[in-house]
Amino acid sequence: MKKKYLLASTPILLGAICFVIYSLIGSSVEPDGTLIEPFFLINLSYLFVFSGVLTIFLISSVSFIKRISN
């Protein structure tokens, strides 16, 4: 695998790690009724996955266009 695709797929891996960490941490309800849950990990994971997919799409599009022009 080329380095550019490996570098572009790193955010997807980070997004998957955020999903796993969110699952492992879990949520709890305090005695006063406060919900304790790491909601920020959900947003981060979606952001990482979206940026990784977008980057891979752009890199593959540029490589395809360069291959056609040659």
Side-chain angles (χ1 to χ4, degrees):
M1 180 181 269
K2 294 184 179 181
K3 285 185 181 181
K4 61 183 175 182
Y5 292 116
L6 182 65
L7 186 63
S9 62
T10 302
I12 296 174
L13 178 65
L14 288 174
I17 289 171
C18 284
F19 275 126
V20 169
I21 291 173
Y22 175 77
S23 303
L24 291 176
I25 291 175
S27 61
S28 62
V29 178
E30 296 293 318
D32 64 346
T34 306
L35 178 64
I36 305 298
E37 192 167 12
F39 284 119
F40 69 93
L41 288 174
I42 297 171
N43 295 332
L44 274 178
S45 60
Y46 283 134
L47 180 69
F48 280 137
V49 169
F50 177 72
S51 65
V53 168
L54 184 66
T55 306
I56 288 176
F57 176 73
L58 290 175
I59 288 174
S60 62
S61 298
V62 169
S63 295
F64 182 72
I65 290 171
K66 282 184 180 180
R67 187 178 301 164
I68 288 176
S69 66
N70 289 337

